[in-house]
Amino acid sequence: MKFYVLTLFTDMIKDGLSHSIIKRACDEGIISIETIDIRDFAKNKHRHVDDYPYGGGAGMVMQAQPVYDAYMSIKHKLSENCPVVYMTPQGKTFDQRKAESLSKLEDMVILCGHYEGIDERVIEEIVTDEVSIGDFVLTGGELAAMTVIDAVARLIPGVLNKEESFMDESFTDNLLEYPQYTRPAEFMGRKVPDVLLSGHHKNIEKWRKEQAYERTLKKRPDLLSKK
Ligand code: 6GU
């Protein structure tokens, strides 16, 4: 899958996604992440891409033209149904289901805004989806874009190895993960539950299921009503 990110902070995206599993997936060519610097499409000599809002008010607004030109510079590489996702707290809240549906695509474009927002006309012209990562406000869309890319990429076949993908079931079945332990068998007087040392696989499986259910009930009861 190919991810194209339109942003004023290309380094933030590149740096943030050049570690661990996502780095390996890029190196192996399973995914690619291309950043497009919106500022490269500014037409003035100071490379400004923002201006004062019509009607007044605080802050600056990103201009339509550089965003549009940045998008047009990659348009020829995109698949026919390639979505253009604008990261904004006004969008629909991102969740595992959205990650799953995006992971089945050939490519996607992510548009990151800054300042007080982007001129509405270019949003109307190019954006197909508006996505938020939760009810709070970030200084820009980049951290949200990285979140989406990470969550989508790990669902693409080959990105996770067998062991890594084992963790997968977690949110897919709306249950939280059971607690995990490793050596030593006792830490600060706290013992690993006996059943995990018993070697009795049936009992271990049963215990883990109960723990997953109990934890979900305690920490995220809202997930159980979805189930
Ligand atoms: Cl997608 N962008 C910004 N700027 N803030 C956010 C967000 C996105 N999602 C939650 N807060």
Side-chain angles (χ1 to χ4, degrees), residues 14-157:
K14 283 186 278 205
D15 295 347
L17 295 170
S18 62
H19 302 272
S20 181
I21 294 170
I22 302 301
K23 177 180 194 299
R24 185 182 67 201
C26 290
D27 291 346
E28 289 178 359
I30 304 166
I31 62 169
S32 70
I33 302 165
E34 184 178 329
T35 56
I36 299 95
D37 188 347
I38 294 168
R39 200 175 297 282
D40 287 346
F41 298 86
K43 287 208 162 121
N44 55 83
K45 70 169 186 253
H46 299 292
R47 309 225 304 154
H48 287 155
V49 292
D50 60 335
D51 206 336
Y52 298 99
Y54 275 118
M60 301 292 272
V61 177
M62 273 171 79
Q63 292 172 295
Q65 170 268 317
V67 173
Y68 183 72
D69 289 352
Y71 171 69
M72 287 311 287
S73 78
I74 52 165
K75 181 97 179 75
H76 67 282
K77 301 191 216 175
L78 308 177
S79 70
E80 198 170 344
N81 304 313
C82 181
V84 178
V85 176
Y86 174 38
M87 301 311 307
T88 165
Q90 297 182 20
K92 191 157 180 274
T93 308
F94 186 68
D95 60 11
Q96 194 62 22
R97 216 168 64 189
K98 182 72 174 174
E100 272 157 25
S101 91
L102 290 171
S103 75
K104 297 188 168 76
L105 303 176
E106 256 176 80
D107 51 8
M108 70 181 287
V109 175
I110 303 182
L111 171 60
C112 301
H114 255 267
Y115 313 116
E116 288 306 302
I118 302 181
D119 189 307
E120 192 66 22
R121 294 165 295 180
V122 72
I123 295 169
E124 289 170 3
E125 189 66 29
I126 70 172
V127 168
T128 61
D129 293 80
E130 295 193 354
V131 170
S132 164
I133 61 163
D135 290 337
F136 45 84
V137 181
L138 301 170
T139 57
E142 285 75 14
L143 277 169
M146 288 189 262
T147 302
V148 167
I149 292 170
D150 187 283
V152 171
R154 65 183 290 288
L155 297 174
I156 296 167

